[in-house]
Amino acid sequence: MSSTTKGKQTPTRTQEDKLSGNMGVGELVMNVLAFSSPLTTVAGTLPVMLLFSGHTAPGIYLLVTLMLLIFSVGFVRMSRSVDAPGGFYSFVTAGLGKPAGLGGALLALVGYIFIGFFAPSLFALTLQGFVVNTLGGPEIPWYWYGLGIITVTTLLAYNRIDLSAKVLTVVMLLESAVVVIFDVAAFASGDVSQGVEFSMPWITDAGLGLALLFAVGNFFGFEATVIYRDEVKNPDRTIPRATYLAVVGIGLFYAVAAWAYTAFLGADNVQDEAKANTVNLFNDGATALVGKIFADIGVVLLITSILASMLSIQNIAARYSFSLAADGALPRILGSVHPRHKSPYVSAVGVGIVWVVATVVFTLVGVAPEALYPIASGSGTFSVLLLMFITSFAVLVYFVRRRSFAPESVWKTIVSPIVSVLFLGLITYLAIANYPELIGGSAVMTAIFMTFTFALFIGGIVYAYFLRSKRPEVYARLGRQKIDQ
């Protein structure tokens, strides 16, 4: 059942089957920033990007920020028109129909679960190294650390979203402070006449494709603001503000951090230094600039940063699982709402169980933990990127269809979606062309994971047609809304 108010397509939901929370703009932004894991990105991903981009990295971040702000224009307008908490699931359904919507929902669910599985192995290796090398403690097998972090994030995700928001806010402020201190020290130590130079990228730059791909991946999470519609105060105001703040905040934060590396290492040297010392570039730089104690504090906050990122991703994945189950596309138990916390507690536990099983299986078959996180994050990133491209196209189609009876701003509903389709289409092409580097795997693994990703979307379409034929009452609910096609 649904109702329509002022052009909005709104599903009718009782209080018992609705999630609930009290997040404001700041807390929602912190949830988004936690996804990208600022300290993990600056210490881990950014040196890899510098390897491909050199001193053009800050310019690349500014370019991507501009493009994603344009994407956000249509995205935010869509969030006000499609008043449903299903995120991209609802948006793709509204624009391209229920079969495509269900395919998109499966891409989102599996993509976020895959991305989140980067954390147990990376957390374990980072904590294991700190315990053994810094504290002189025992060498505990990595999988115990991995299972431990899954337990902690699942307990937090089980509870009301406000608890996760408070934890994430504290962690984000602490790790952001470490990066800011590093930035200030780097600029203070650099040669002002040489080090602070950076230039915008050019189309002929050799590593531009991979650099753009890594940069866009650092923004992931901002698109999930709409999934929390039922859990924020005044969603029509909070979601747009949080979306724009998140995109601008992420872009400027990483652009300045990349610029700080350039200031410290020198514009002519930064790319070579990143190639020679990719893994320890931040830690060695922090030690040289501020001291060993500061670097050790950075490692501790890096550990909590990974936990915060995993928690943010688990919250998003659980809400996609909840939305699919509430519509009947997944077992209804996954759509259960905790009577006190008003959280999707069964779905949150379900995501945790998937990660536990995967950790146990990969341990038993002898897969090294350092091989897990690039595969998990790379394959999941491609799924979400493909979904963002599909969503940008769905937004364009949705507003083009409405122009005959409800015309709106050409900039918001036509121009910005077209620019988004072109930009995200280019990034998706780059991801396909550079997939082996994205997952750090072989040609065989590339074929397997890429085929699996496209099969998810196609499988969702096939499943939707099955539901239309065999379970029309479930089909009618797909997309968290009833849409007149």
Side-chain angles (χ1 to χ4, degrees):
M1 299 293 294
S2 68
S3 60
T4 303
T5 305
K6 294 183 180 180
K8 292 185 178 181
Q9 295 158 330
T10 308
T12 301
R13 302 186 300 279
T14 65
Q15 289 300 318
E16 288 73 22
D17 65 5
K18 282 183 65 175
L19 303 177
S20 179
N22 198 38
M23 289 193 294
V25 174
E27 290 171 316
L28 185 54
V29 169
M30 289 302 174
N31 266 279
V32 169
L33 293 179
F35 187 109
S36 70
S37 187
L39 189 52
T40 305
T41 296
V42 172
T45 307
L46 190 47
V48 177
M49 183 176 165
L50 290 168
L51 187 155
F52 295 112
S53 63
H55 64 285
T56 64
I60 290 173
Y61 275 116
L62 295 178
L63 175 64
V64 172
T65 300
L66 176 61
M67 290 297 101
L68 291 180
L69 278 174
I70 293 173
F71 169 84
S72 298
V73 172
F75 175 83
V76 164
R77 185 63 196 87
M78 190 77 164
S79 74
R80 287 173 169 155
S81 185
V82 180
D83 186 5
F88 283 169
Y89 172 35
S90 299
F91 286 11
V92 177
T93 301
L96 302 180
K98 296 178 188 295
L102 186 52
L106 293 182
L107 276 178
L109 175 59
V110 176
Y112 285 119
I113 289 176
F114 271 43
I115 293 176
F117 192 58
F118 93 96
S121 54
L122 182 58
F123 174 88
L125 290 174
T126 307
L127 182 55
Q128 187 181 60
F130 183 76
V131 169
V132 174
N133 300 326
T134 304
L135 301 180
E139 187 164 339
I140 300 171
W142 77 271
Y143 49 83
W144 289 117
Y145 290 120
L147 294 173
I149 189 178
I150 294 171
T151 302
V152 171
T153 60
T154 301
L155 286 173
L156 289 169
Y158 179 97
N159 282 273
R160 188 177 176 90
I161 189 62
D162 300 350
L163 176 61
S164 291
K166 288 180 173 63
V167 171
L168 293 175
T169 298
V170 172
V171 174
M172 287 305 96
L173 291 175
L174 290 173
E175 65 177 282
S176 297
V178 168
V179 175
V180 170
I181 292 171
F182 171 82
D183 292 347
V184 171
F187 283 117
S189 70
D191 183 345
V192 176
S193 64
Q194 299 292 329
V196 296
E197 173 192 351
F198 77 86
S199 59
M200 295 301 291
W202 188 244
I203 192 70
T204 56
D205 290 352
L208 179 59
L210 279 170
L212 278 170
L213 191 54
F214 274 99
V216 170
N218 293 157
F219 284 79
F220 279 5
F222 87 90
E223 79 286 352
T225 51
V226 291
I227 202 73
Y228 294 107
R229 171 167 282 276
D230 283 346
E231 299 167 271
V232 299
K233 296 179 288 188
N234 193 350
D236 282 341
R237 183 182 66 182
T238 298
I239 290 173
R241 290 182 178 180
T243 300
Y244 287 124
L245 280 173
V247 173
V248 173
I250 291 171
L252 293 180
F253 188 85
Y254 292 141
V256 172
W259 196 8
Y261 273 116
T262 303
F264 173 54
L265 299 171
D268 295 332
N269 302 322
V270 62
Q271 191 164 13
D272 291 336
E273 291 287 342
K275 288 179 181 178
N277 190 27
T278 309
V279 174
N280 295 310
L281 194 66
F282 178 83
N283 190 64
D284 290 351
T287 302
L289 289 167
V290 190
K292 182 68 166 60
I293 294 177
F294 176 79
D296 289 342
I297 293 173
V299 173
V300 173
L301 290 175
L302 175 60
I303 292 167
T304 60
S305 172
I306 298 169
L307 186 149
S309 177
M310 185 175 175
L311 173 59
S312 174
I313 296 166
Q314 188 165 3
N315 279 330
I316 294 170
R319 279 150 184 81
Y320 272 107
S321 172
F322 170 84
S323 289
L324 284 166
D327 286 353
L330 290 181
R332 293 304 294 253
I333 190 171
L334 293 171
S336 301
V337 178
H338 194 283
R340 180 160 60 92
H341 300 306
K342 294 299 180 182
S343 63
Y345 70 111
V346 177
S347 281
V349 171
V351 173
I353 290 173
V354 170
W355 285 339
V356 166
V357 171
T359 301
V360 171
V361 168
F362 284 119
T363 299
L364 291 176
V365 299
V367 177
E370 57 268 19
L372 283 179
Y373 58 82
I375 295 174
S377 62
S379 57
T381 294
F382 179 67
S383 293
V384 176
L385 177 60
L386 179 60
L387 176 59
M388 287 181 68
F389 170 65
I390 294 169
T391 303
S392 66
F393 184 66
V395 170
L396 176 62
V397 171
Y398 176 81
F399 285 116
V400 167
R401 284 178 174 174
R402 289 170 55 88
R403 288 202 67 77
S404 62
F405 61 92
E408 299 184 55
S409 164
V410 172
W411 161 245
K412 292 181 179 180
T413 62
I414 302 296
V415 176
S416 67
I418 288 176
V419 173
S420 300
V421 168
L422 295 175
F423 175 69
L424 291 171
L426 170 63
I427 300 300
T428 303
Y429 165 76
L430 291 173
I432 294 172
N434 295 283
Y435 199 84
E437 289 81 4
L438 186 63
I439 66 170
S442 64
V444 174
M445 291 177 61
T446 295
I448 291 172
F449 281 101
M450 189 174 293
T451 301
F452 175 72
T453 301
F454 284 102
L456 275 174
F457 184 65
I458 296 170
I461 293 173
V462 173
Y463 182 33
Y465 281 115
F466 168 80
L467 291 174
R468 188 173 72 172
S469 173
K470 303 296 183 181
R471 300 183 63 188
E473 75 286 356
V474 173
Y475 182 82
R477 291 196 300 268
L478 292 181
R480 306 306 313 273
Q481 56 196 314
K482 182 177 174 61
I483 299 173
D484 297 326
Q485 298 294 339

